[in-house]
Amino acid sequence: MSLSHTTGEILLREDKEGAVYLTLNRPDKFNTLSEAMLSVLQRELEAIALDPAVRCVVIGANGRGFCAGHDLREMRAHPDQAYYQQLFRLCSRVMQSVVALPVPVIAKVQGMATAAGCQLVASCDLAIAGRSASFAVSGINVGLFCSTPAVALSRCISPKRAFDMLVSGDFISADTAAEWGLLSAVTDDDDLDTAVADKVEQILSKSPAAVRFGKSMFQPQRQMALAEAYDFAGNVMAENMMSPDAGEGIDAFLGKRKPVWEQPGH
């Protein structure tokens, strides 16, 4: 079953068989992350985090570009440091909410993703782009170093490549972004919808519990020292082993049959 609704029209949401599709819907503004857009995104992410029936999230966009970052006109209309601090806190909260979601988040990227738009791609667990997509953290070109995008970018690609992008403002192609680790896959533009749908279907075919255990472990352990990470991961894996799905999956493997996973929300 598929359910669709709008969230203030600047963000569209569709729920379909365990997957939530969030679509940035300011195509005439290249889907810039205005204060309103960030607020509604945060609200939806918080709702998704509390819904046990959600198993995957896709963040996409309408129009020729994925996201051109912050709304510069809106920012210039509020020349106040306290306002900027609040805005960047809100944006940082959205990015951290993406990382903290208990299910995988896929960025579906067409056209350009710049500045905070590139940050959003870097914050997602997976990112699939059409081959004509391009990426930059180009605030430096208008006198603004992309400091908050640098946090996500430098955790996604090597520090030297990240700093080069940040200090030059240069665009990189989708193929280069995949080579550097910003993207998990690149496809022909006409095949982008299919590639994302195939990845969603693949995730939905796995144990919902195992995927949630994996998401809860993967991001936090990246920030830990090696011994701490192994201790944390071992505890998560032991808890995962106690889940009904792990017992079912192993028994199915040994019995050479297809497993039947527990369905959340049922």
Side-chain angles (χ1 to χ4, degrees):
M1 185 173 72
S2 176
L3 298 174
S4 302
H5 68 273
T6 62
T7 52
E9 295 188 354
I10 60 174
L11 181 70
L12 308 179
R13 172 172 172 167
E14 180 182 11
D15 293 61
K16 186 177 181 181
E17 297 174 354
V20 174
Y21 296 81
L22 298 177
T23 304
L24 309 181
N25 191 38
R26 299 182 75 203
D28 56 325
K29 303 292 185 182
F30 281 92
N31 299 303
T32 50
L33 298 177
S34 63
E35 188 176 3
M37 177 72 85
L38 289 168
S39 295
V40 75
L41 256 176
Q42 181 60 33
R43 187 179 72 210
E44 288 301 318
L45 292 171
E46 289 175 357
I48 289 167
L50 297 174
D51 188 346
V54 176
R55 298 174 57 192
C56 182
V57 176
V58 176
I59 299 179
N62 283 330
R64 293 183 295 128
F66 176 74
C67 178
H70 286 289
D71 189 327
L72 297 180
R73 289 188 183 277
E74 182 180 74
M75 290 170 67
R76 287 299 290 152
H78 299 84
D80 178 79
Q81 185 169 344
Y83 172 82
Y84 297 143
Q85 289 173 330
Q86 181 273 335
L87 178 67
F88 295 136
R89 277 196 298 266
L90 175 57
C91 185
S92 297
R93 185 181 174 195
V94 167
M95 301 301 167
Q96 290 176 83
S97 293
V98 169
V99 174
L101 274 185
V103 296
V105 183
I106 304 170
K108 174 186 172 184
V109 188
Q110 86 286 357
M112 67 176 183
T114 60
C118 187
Q119 178 185 6
L120 182 56
V121 174
S123 298
C124 292
D125 302 296
L126 299 167
I128 303 174
R131 188 154 277 110
S132 67
S134 58
F135 304 84
V137 274
S138 48
I140 195 73
N141 294 334
V142 296
L144 181 66
F145 191 88
C146 283
S147 295
T148 47
V151 174
L153 188 66
S154 64
R155 284 164 169 74
C156 196
I157 68 177
S158 75
K160 285 183 171 60
R161 281 173 167 165
F163 192 80
D164 192 357
M165 288 181 69
L166 289 156
V167 81
S168 70
D170 288 345
F171 278 83
I172 61 171
S173 68
D175 286 326
T176 298
E179 179 187 345
W180 288 6
L182 179 60
L183 298 176
S184 48
V186 178
T187 184
D188 291 339
D189 291 351
D190 291 342
D191 296 331
L192 180 57
D193 287 346
T194 300
V196 171
D198 287 347
K199 182 56 63 178
V200 170
E201 182 178 358
Q202 185 179 40
I203 292 170
L204 296 182
S205 73
K206 309 304 181 185
S207 157
V211 172
R212 282 180 173 251
F213 276 117
K215 179 66 187 280
S216 75
M217 179 282 301
F218 186 78
Q219 296 294 352
Q221 64 84 25
R222 295 180 65 215
Q223 312 306 320
M224 298 176 184
L226 186 64
E228 181 187 6
Y230 269 115
D231 185 58
F232 173 67
N235 287 332
V236 173
M237 199 165 185
E239 186 179 357
N240 190 170
M241 274 297 298
M242 297 304 296
S243 70
D245 271 1
E248 164 65 13
I250 294 171
D251 289 348
F253 175 78
L254 295 175
K256 297 181 180 180
R257 61 175 175 81
K258 187 174 180 180
V260 178
W261 307 124
E262 282 198 333
Q263 297 302 310
H266 292 273

